[in-house]
Amino acid sequence: MKKIATGNKAVAEAVKQVQPVVIAAYPITPQTEIVEQIAKFVSTGELKSRYIPVESEHSAMAACIGASVTGIRTFTATSSHGLLYMHEMTNWAVGARLPVVMANVNRSIGPGWNIWAEHTDAMQERDTGWLQVYVSTVQEAYDATLMAFRIAEHNDLLLPVMVNLDGFILSHIMQPLDTVEIGDFIPPMHLPHAIDPKNPAGYGGLTGPDQHFKFRWDIERSMRDSVKIIETTEEDFAKRFGRKYGFTEDYRCEDADVVVVSMGTLGKEAEVAIDMLCKEGVKAGSMRLRWLRPFPKLDLKGKEVVVIDRDYSFGFGGILAKSIQAQQKTDVYSVIAGLGGQEVTYEDIADFIRKRRIGEEFWFGVSDHV
Amino acid sequence: MLKCTSACAGCSDSLALRYVLKAAGPDTVLVVPACCTSVIQGIYPKTAFNIPVYNIAFGAAAACASGMSNAFRASGKKTNVIVYAGDGGTLDIGIQAMSGAFERGTDFLYICYDNEAYGNTGMQRSGGTPMGARTTTTPTGKTDAKKDIDAIIAAHNPPYMATACAAYPHDLFKKVQKALTFRGPSFIHVLAPCPPGWRYSTEKSVEMGKLAVKSGMWVLYEREYGKLFINPESKVAMKKPIPLEEYLAPQGRFKGIDEKTLEMLRQNIAKTVKKLAAEEAEE
């Protein structure tokens, strides 16, 4: 069904179709519309979930964990400080191997209070074991949320999945949305280690060094297996509903001499910049990284690479730039742009590409080359 | 609960838990935050508990139980969800999650077993430590009073709340059974004398519990829909308590307590007793 929706509403729409049994969430700008919409769906009976209006994000994730371990589907949504407050429990969800799905509306971290788009919130979760996908359109927010449940709950994976959408730039803008009848795209959830008083077991108790590392390795093994699960899920989605996704969205990369890599809405903006540059005779392409975890093997061989980070690791660099540099074993031009919702236009992106200085870092709007 | 837990000798937390689990029956899940009970279960892959135990982060027990209870009820299951948390996990780090779960009317039983300090980590002070008690972080005795968690819980108007102690096993057993008949949140605050923490000899845990009640330091009661019932043992103690020193003297943690602190403890007891007596008389 075709409609017009915001990114937030698209997420709520997907959740409505998936019908989690328990949803626990705490409001935070700019995620609020997701919980409001969910509460509305629950009140009208369109969503049969139990909605737990918890008193904090830490409790939101704890409630999802407690619910999920009984073998039922769960969902939560947050943003920025909410995600950071949840951090202890996001780790717990991974170690407990629970397929919780969460939408995170990317927003900067204070102080000072800034409610606008930045990826630093989710980036601080990158080592927890959550799978992370970053979307760029309202349609993709919807599609990725649907797929997140099937991926997370896959019995060869059983790890939580986070769907990231840029605060305001995507959460609050209206775009066309084509909703689908999901049918049997997402099978009923089956949790092999679900709590059962008839078959009592201890969960998450004291674990010695001789066992702990095995559980850690098991998480990594599943994370590696997730590549195939993501691929088959996205293939099946394309087959059923006609929209194809991948680990990256590559735009005019094939013949490009220079490729700009970014995540989220910046990736869509970059496509306009690429068209502009190609008209000027610059052989440029855009690669929008969709999955941050598992981090895909990128095909950038023989290209000059410009990376735009909407995040930063102080004392280290742009997190995406450094990751790509490490994987490709080559220098990149690292642009730090869009922090705290700073406006970055396609013209700015074209400029980053034109004026690239491989091996250097550039803070857009702040300084000259460092 | 099976034999051979890794509890300390004379542990009254595990004694209380035995009665709790007997009363609750097999269709029960225990949610346990970081506390002595996380240790008592034993080390993976072994467990000394014969019911499912879900271990969760320190400040998250009530929230986790909240999700679990909702999930069970949504699936039409009547499984008891019982939080079994220490005083640190209840009065301090877990208070927000607990308050939220009570306010939302979560269908669960929250049991706080109170050994009046962070026992698992080696007896550091908690909000539950009484004034004058020495802990590893109050080496000269705590200067602040014990947090009145029962008053805080009462302010949430749960259908059922009670105090108990493993030294009175029938009372504890009956209170757990009764708590589980109520829909919505219920709370039982269990005093859990701790031989290594309170520094008394291991055979005296039951005796310590009785002395706590007889001296009025611990009052046994229950509140059903706000109506207070004080246990006969405590009614006797409220009228004619034994000297407080009889309870404090066997405990190393109160060694060298000064007269001023002692007097403040006495005043606190008198205040609590007066308040409870007035509340009961009101009915």
Side-chain angles (χ1 to χ4, degrees):
Chain A
M1 197 167 79
K2 296 222 189 273
K3 48 179 91 174
I4 298 280
T6 61
N8 279 345
K9 283 206 170 147
V11 170
E13 200 64 47
V15 171
K16 186 176 83 181
Q17 279 173 286
V18 175
Q19 295 279 330
V21 179
V22 169
I23 297 168
Y26 187 80
I28 180 168
T29 303
Q31 152 268 33
T32 34
E33 204 187 16
I34 299 178
V35 293
E36 286 167 357
Q37 198 64 30
I38 284 172
K40 195 176 145 203
F41 287 149
V42 170
S43 72
T44 58
E46 290 168 90
L47 191 50
K48 303 274 183 276
S49 314
R50 287 206 175 202
Y51 172 55
I52 312 180
V54 281
E55 80 299 329
S56 76
E57 289 88 355
H58 193 273
S59 287
M61 188 50 63
C64 284
I65 288 167
S68 181
V69 77
T70 71
I72 55 102
R73 184 170 290 156
T74 56
F75 174 79
T76 188
T78 191
S79 179
S80 177
H81 286 259
L83 184 63
L84 267 55
Y85 194 38
M86 209 184 255
H87 182 62
E88 182 187 24
M89 301 322 296
T90 57
N91 281 272
W92 206 278
V94 171
R97 304 307 298 261
L98 297 172
V100 179
V101 172
M102 163 160 63
N104 178 56
V105 185
N106 300 105
R107 172 189 142 181
S108 75
I109 309 295
W113 287 123
N114 173 295
I115 56 170
W116 313 101
E118 192 177 313
H119 293 156
T120 309
D121 56 355
M123 282 291 199
Q124 294 194 24
E125 295 295 314
R126 70 190 186 279
D127 299 338
T128 56
W130 278 68
L131 278 70
Q132 284 198 32
V133 59
Y134 290 72
V135 303
S136 63
T137 64
V138 166
Q139 184 67 57
E140 193 184 356
Y142 170 83
D143 293 347
T145 306
L146 289 180
M147 284 187 268
F149 285 95
R150 172 156 151 180
I151 293 164
E153 292 169 11
H154 194 290
N155 268 216
D156 291 339
L157 182 61
L158 295 173
L159 283 174
V161 178
M162 189 190 304
V163 178
N164 288 282
L165 56 154
D166 287 335
F168 294 103
I169 305 169
L170 187 53
S171 65
H172 283 64
I173 58 131
M174 303 277 246
Q175 282 177 358
L177 171 67
D178 187 9
T179 59
V180 298
E181 288 298 327
I182 55 166
D184 60 358
F185 176 67
I186 305 169
M189 179 170 154
H190 169 71
L191 189 72
H193 57 292
I195 278 193
D196 178 8
K198 291 196 185 74
N199 182 24
Y203 293 76
L206 286 185
T207 307
D210 52 337
Q211 302 286 350
H212 184 78
F213 75 91
K214 291 179 189 166
F215 287 120
R216 294 288 114 180
W217 162 241
D218 206 49
I219 293 167
E220 172 55 15
R221 198 169 51 181
S222 299
M223 191 53 106
R224 291 179 192 185
D225 291 344
S226 74
V227 174
K228 194 91 207 128
I229 294 163
I230 291 167
E231 277 169 1
T232 52
T233 303
E234 290 182 342
E235 272 165 27
D236 190 36
F237 189 89
K239 213 162 72 190
R240 286 173 190 242
F241 310 119
R243 288 186 292 274
K244 201 167 158 36
Y245 296 97
F247 278 92
T248 60
E249 185 180 39
D250 300 345
Y251 187 74
R252 303 179 85 157
C253 281
E254 271 174 29
D255 316 319
D257 297 326
V258 53
V259 170
V260 61
V261 184
S262 60
M263 293 200 303
T265 51
L266 280 171
K268 279 282 161 229
E269 200 72 16
E271 290 178 9
V272 184
I274 296 306
D275 288 343
M276 220 168 82
L277 287 171
C278 286
K279 267 186 211 149
E280 289 172 18
V282 182
K283 285 172 131 185
S286 161
M287 180 180 282
R288 181 172 66 86
L289 185 70
R290 293 188 68 250
W291 288 91
L292 180 76
R293 289 292 181 275
F295 196 83
K297 183 92 193 83
L298 302 177
D299 181 16
L300 287 164
K301 219 172 171 178
K303 320 267 187 202
E304 280 187 64
V305 181
V306 176
V307 182
I308 309 176
D309 268 285
R310 188 167 222 146
D311 60 76
Y312 201 73
S313 172
F314 298 108
F316 187 56
I319 297 166
L320 203 51
K322 291 291 182 185
S323 306
I324 291 168
Q325 216 174 317
Q327 188 193 62
Q328 301 290 318
K329 297 182 178 63
T330 176
D331 275 344
V332 303
Y333 180 51
S334 168
V335 179
I336 312 303
L339 302 188
Q342 179 194 40
E343 191 176 348
V344 184
T345 66
Y346 58 86
E347 280 165 339
D348 297 326
I349 296 172
D351 232 29
F352 300 154
I353 298 168
R354 280 191 210 103
K355 294 177 181 166
R356 66 189 178 276
R357 296 191 203 172
I358 303 297
E360 292 187 22
E361 180 180 291
F362 172 61
W363 279 67
F364 177 52
V366 175
S367 68
D368 200 350
H369 292 78
V370 185
Chain B
M1 213 163 148
L2 308 170
K3 287 176 183 171
C4 300
T5 70
S6 41
C8 306
C11 171
S12 72
D13 152 27
S14 40
L15 200 57
L17 188 55
R18 248 183 92 206
Y19 306 132
V20 168
L21 294 180
K22 268 185 207 295
D27 193 15
T28 299
V29 178
L30 219 53
V31 177
V32 178
C35 59
C36 290
T37 306
S38 7
V39 179
I40 289 168
Q41 293 161 44
I43 298 176
Y44 176 86
K46 293 177 180 161
T47 173
F49 291 8
N50 205 18
I51 50 150
V53 180
Y54 200 73
N55 291 283
I56 192 77
F58 214 167
C64 175
S66 188
M68 194 178 284
S69 165
N70 271 283
F72 280 139
R73 301 302 173 260
S75 315
K77 290 178 186 158
K78 289 190 176 131
T79 307
N80 300 316
V81 177
I82 302 181
V83 170
Y84 200 70
D87 46 300
T90 304
L91 280 65
D92 295 344
I93 196 169
I95 195 167
Q96 174 183 312
M98 184 184 63
S99 174
F102 273 75
E103 183 263 333
R104 292 189 301 271
T106 306
D107 188 20
F108 76 147
L109 166 58
Y110 192 112
I111 298 178
C112 168
Y113 67 97
D114 186 354
N115 67 350
E116 305 192 314
Y118 290 90
N120 183 8
T121 45
M123 294 319 270
Q124 293 80 25
R125 113 202 248 285
S126 80
T129 305
M131 189 183 282
R134 292 170 190 238
T135 66
T136 52
T137 51
T138 52
T140 56
K142 193 187 174 200
T143 50
D144 311 296
K146 183 180 175 82
K147 189 190 281 188
D148 189 355
I149 192 70
D150 302 304
I152 295 170
I153 293 289
H156 292 74
N157 293 312
Y160 183 80
M161 64 179 288
T163 57
C165 179
Y168 300 85
H170 289 287
D171 182 56
L172 172 59
F173 184 88
K174 275 192 274 182
K175 281 172 174 169
V176 172
Q177 275 193 327
K178 191 187 251 184
L180 290 170
T181 62
F182 289 86
R183 264 189 85 115
S186 45
F187 181 79
I188 302 180
H189 190 183
V190 180
L191 182 71
C194 167
W198 296 13
R199 284 177 273 148
Y200 62 83
S201 51
T202 52
E203 77 282 6
K204 284 192 172 145
S205 281
V206 170
E207 196 183 318
M208 290 315 304
K210 294 211 159 145
L211 290 173
V213 169
K214 286 177 182 167
S215 63
M217 266 293 262
W218 193 253
V219 182
L220 297 173
Y221 63 82
E222 58 187 340
R223 254 194 214 98
E224 277 182 62
Y225 297 110
K227 191 170 163 47
L228 178 71
F229 302 92
I230 299 171
N231 281 45
E233 299 90 333
S234 280
K235 279 193 176 171
V236 172
M238 283 160 76
K239 282 198 191 104
K240 209 178 161 208
I242 59 164
L244 183 57
E245 290 83 340
E246 281 188 35
Y247 171 57
L248 305 186
Q251 302 181 43
R253 62 174 177 159
F254 289 110
K255 204 174 168 192
I257 189 169
D258 58 50
E259 191 47 45
K260 200 176 136 208
T261 313
L262 208 55
E263 190 45 39
M264 280 168 90
L265 281 176
R266 282 196 202 99
Q267 281 175 14
N268 279 345
I269 293 172
K271 220 166 91 184
T272 309
V273 163
K274 202 174 149 193
K275 213 168 82 182
L276 286 170
E279 187 187 333
E280 206 187 31
E282 247 177 52
E283 306 295 332

